Structure formats: C-alpha cells, structure tokens
Amino acid sequence: MKIGILTAGGDCPGINAAIRGVCKTAISTYGMKVLGFSSGYRGLIEKNYQELKEEQLSGILTLGGTILGTSRDKPFQSGSKESVKLIKKNYKDLGLKALVVIGGNGTQKTASQLADEGLNIIGIPKTIDNDVYGTDVSFGFDSAVMIATEAIDRLHTTANSHNRIMVIELMGHHAGWISLYSGVAGGGDVILIPEIPYDIKNISKYLKQRIKEDKKYSIVVVAEGIEKPEDEYAASYISNMIQKEVGIETRKTILGYIQRGGTPSPMDRILATEFGSHTADLIAQQKFGVMVCKNGNNIESIPLSEVGGKIKLVSPDNPLIEKSRKMGICFGDS
C-alpha cells in the first residue's frame, strides 16, 4: 500500500514526531510505502514529493518545525476548482490509497472537504492554540505553555525589582487556552482571554487593591485575540490603559513566534507519536474520513465531518477558571 503525508498551516513543536510515528509504524509494521509532500497542499497540487524511508526519520523526533515544510494554501478557497482537480488527479496517478493530513482547524476543514470528494483521508490535529475541535488536546500546546510559562517566570523578577505592572501577550486569536494555562502556571494576577469579556475598570480596581495590600507588582497575561482597537496589539492597548487608569509604571512584552519554535516537550513528543502510530493502524484497517484524537486517556478517532469549521473554545465555567477565581485571579469581568 502506498500512502501520502503532508503538513499544512502554521508550524508547531511535535509535527516531526507525528511524521515519524506515522512512517515508522506504516513501514515497519505494515510494509507500506510513504510519500511525503512538500509545503502542505501545494506539494500535492504541484506533485512535489519524496519517498520517506527509515533513514530519513532518524533524529527528527526532537526537531521543531516540519521536515516536509508547510504552507497555508487552501485549495477550496483559491477561487478556482483547478487545484482540487489536480489534487484528485495526482492522488490517483501516484496510486495513493490514503492521505495523512497534519494540521489545525483550517487544514482539517480542507481534509474533510477532500474526503467528501472521495479521497481516503485521515487527519492529525496539531496546534499550539489547543483549539482543534474533537480532541481533548493537540500536540504543540504543551510546548507552547512551557515556553510561555518560562517567560512569565522571568517577568516576575523584573516586575518585583522595579515595582512595575508587566503585561505579556500570548498567542490565541479566538481561544485563550495558552493564556489560561500559562497564566495559572506562571502566577499571573490578571488573565484576559477572548472568551470572557472584560472591563478595564474592573482590572484597574483589582490592581489598585493589590497596591493597597502592599503587593508592589502585578503580572497581566493577555491573549492576542481579546477585544481591542483593530490597529493595536493587545499588550500595547492593555498596558496603556492600565498605566492611565492605575498610574503605575507598566511595561509590555509580546512573546510572538517564540511560542511556536524549538524542540517539542516530552509530552508533545509522546502525544504526536501516539497520534502518528494510531493513524497508520487506521489506514491498515481502512478506516478513513476521520481525525485521530485524544479522549480521556484513549487515542481514538472522530469523523472529519464533525470537526471541519469548528473551534474548541475555553468555556467560561471551565474548572480551571473556577479554581483560579477562588484563588483571587482576575479575569476582568468582575
């Protein structure tokens, strides 16, 4: 059996571990031949691929990024049906029996559409934002939380030394998972996420009370997707408003792409490997049109039709939020 594999969307730690998990299981256990397509769906459109063999998988477990390269090309949104026709033609001409697609929300939506076109597709969820619907967690998230938490840890010493309020902006356009988890892990005093509307008056009141209690510095963690003026960064807007309302020297840090780079955490390596190996099992069982997922302690699968176009958001009644409120963390809504 000959199968294809590609990685699309943004890079994140753990993709290479997933590629390795798919390929080693497919080759060693099932005797499959694996073709790796370059630069996401573009590689399939342009027929740009290489055969992935055992020797090419050595040493990639700990590598960040993706050895296949990636792009954000979306064949069904290109304005032309030609891209989809080429994908179907090349899939058939190369004799592929299945295509493995590693990516986030947009990638899985395209994967679902290709499955509707009659291709045998299996999706693997990856994203640092942890917002892929249908899985408890995606690989890349744990690594991003570790990086963000370390950054918050380092801000504590500077904030304490200078009696400042430090605002750090983390990734998350629609979902606040990184900010919530790293904010709690890093001892953030204020955590602002897109899912919970905030009022700057509530935040300033909270910070002023901390000052009255002789707490001379504060850490404010904000997700990039919180409500703000369109032409401003979240950290810039919040820090300016805090300095204006509270009157304490306030500094901002925008962590940016550092959250997506570097070697994956051990947990992400394990999760990506589990996802990859399970994908090869599903191909051998001819179970297509699904995305692998984690449900509790189990690695399972969910129909792609239930995943595409959906986002997993932080629920305002998330247990971690409830526990955080009881510990005195401010979410800006009260």
Side-chain angles (χ1 to χ4, degrees):
M1 181 181 286
K2 188 190 295 182
I3 66 172
I5 185 169
L6 61 81
T7 59
D11 67 301
C12 84
I15 296 178
N16 287 323
I19 294 171
R20 177 178 175 271
V22 172
C23 294
K24 287 184 75 71
T25 306
I27 295 169
S28 300
T29 301
Y30 300 111
M32 298 176 186
K33 185 176 181 180
V34 186
L35 303 184
F37 291 90
S38 300
S39 303
Y41 291 111
R42 188 186 307 163
L44 190 53
I45 293 168
E46 299 175 352
K47 220 171 185 178
N48 185 4
Y49 67 90
Q50 60 177 313
E51 182 178 354
L52 296 177
K53 299 182 179 180
E54 287 274 8
E55 56 266 26
Q56 291 165 289
L57 305 174
S58 178
I60 71 170
L61 177 64
T62 61
L63 291 180
T66 164
I67 61 169
L68 295 176
T70 188
S71 72
R72 295 187 182 276
D73 291 26
K74 298 178 180 179
F76 288 90
Q77 295 182 14
S78 62
S80 169
K81 296 182 179 179
E82 189 63 28
S83 294
V84 178
K85 289 180 180 178
L86 284 171
I87 287 176
K88 294 171 69 175
K89 180 180 185 300
N90 292 336
Y91 177 97
K92 182 178 179 180
D93 289 349
L94 290 168
L96 298 180
K97 300 302 181 183
L99 177 67
V100 178
V101 175
I102 303 174
N105 289 303
T107 300
Q108 300 306 325
K109 181 178 180 180
T110 301
S112 178
Q113 292 171 309
L114 288 175
D116 291 340
E117 292 287 329
L119 276 59
N120 293 333
I121 307 290
I122 296 181
I124 299 180
K126 65 88 195 153
T127 173
I128 68 167
D129 291 334
N130 198 38
D131 61 351
V132 175
Y133 184 86
T135 182
D136 289 352
V137 65
S138 304
F139 65 81
F141 176 62
D142 186 68
S143 300
V145 169
M146 286 183 63
I147 293 165
T149 301
E150 181 182 358
I152 296 170
D153 289 346
R154 292 176 181 274
L155 288 178
H156 275 277
T157 57
T158 297
N160 187 30
S161 298
H162 295 272
N163 294 338
R164 287 176 179 168
I165 296 173
M166 304 295 283
V167 180
I168 181 168
E169 177 183 318
L170 304 176
M171 285 186 166
H173 281 297
H174 303 289
W177 294 105
I178 297 177
S179 294
L180 173 60
Y181 274 67
S182 61
V184 173
D189 304 298
V190 178
I191 300 174
L192 304 180
I193 61 176
E195 295 90 337
I196 300 179
Y198 69 91
D199 186 329
I200 196 67
K201 298 294 184 184
N202 293 332
I203 299 169
S204 61
K205 179 181 177 181
Y206 173 85
L207 294 173
K208 286 177 181 177
Q209 182 60 37
R210 283 180 56 81
I211 295 170
K212 287 182 181 179
E213 295 171 359
D214 203 30
K215 298 173 181 177
K216 300 186 182 300
Y217 79 93
S218 297
I219 302 293
V220 180
V221 181
V222 304
E224 63 183 337
I226 63 169
E227 185 178 355
K228 58 179 176 53
E230 290 185 8
D231 58 344
E232 287 196 58
Y233 286 103
S236 300
Y237 175 69
I238 293 297
S239 62
N240 289 337
M241 292 299 292
I242 287 175
Q243 184 151 327
K244 178 182 176 182
E245 293 283 336
V246 181
I248 295 295
E249 188 175 14
T250 307
R251 292 289 183 269
K252 66 179 183 295
T253 296
I254 301 174
L255 201 55
Y257 288 106
I258 290 174
Q259 295 160 86
R260 287 203 341 213
T263 187
S265 69
M267 291 305 298
D268 275 340
R269 297 178 202 180
I270 292 169
L271 181 60
T273 298
E274 289 179 316
F275 278 177
S277 185
H278 189 64
T279 297
D281 291 339
L282 291 173
I283 294 172
Q285 297 163 18
Q286 299 189 43
K287 294 182 179 179
F288 305 117
V290 298
M291 182 189 79
V292 297
C293 63
K294 186 164 188 179
N295 184 9
N297 292 321
N298 300 319
I299 303 299
E300 302 175 350
S301 62
I302 182 174
L304 279 167
S305 59
E306 296 182 17
V307 176
K310 298 179 182 178
I311 299 176
K312 183 182 70 178
L313 301 175
V314 179
S315 172
D317 62 355
N318 183 286
L320 184 56
I321 292 178
E322 293 182 352
K323 294 294 188 295
S324 299
R325 290 187 191 278
K326 290 178 180 179
M327 292 180 2
I329 295 175
C330 172
F331 287 89
D333 56 341
S334 61

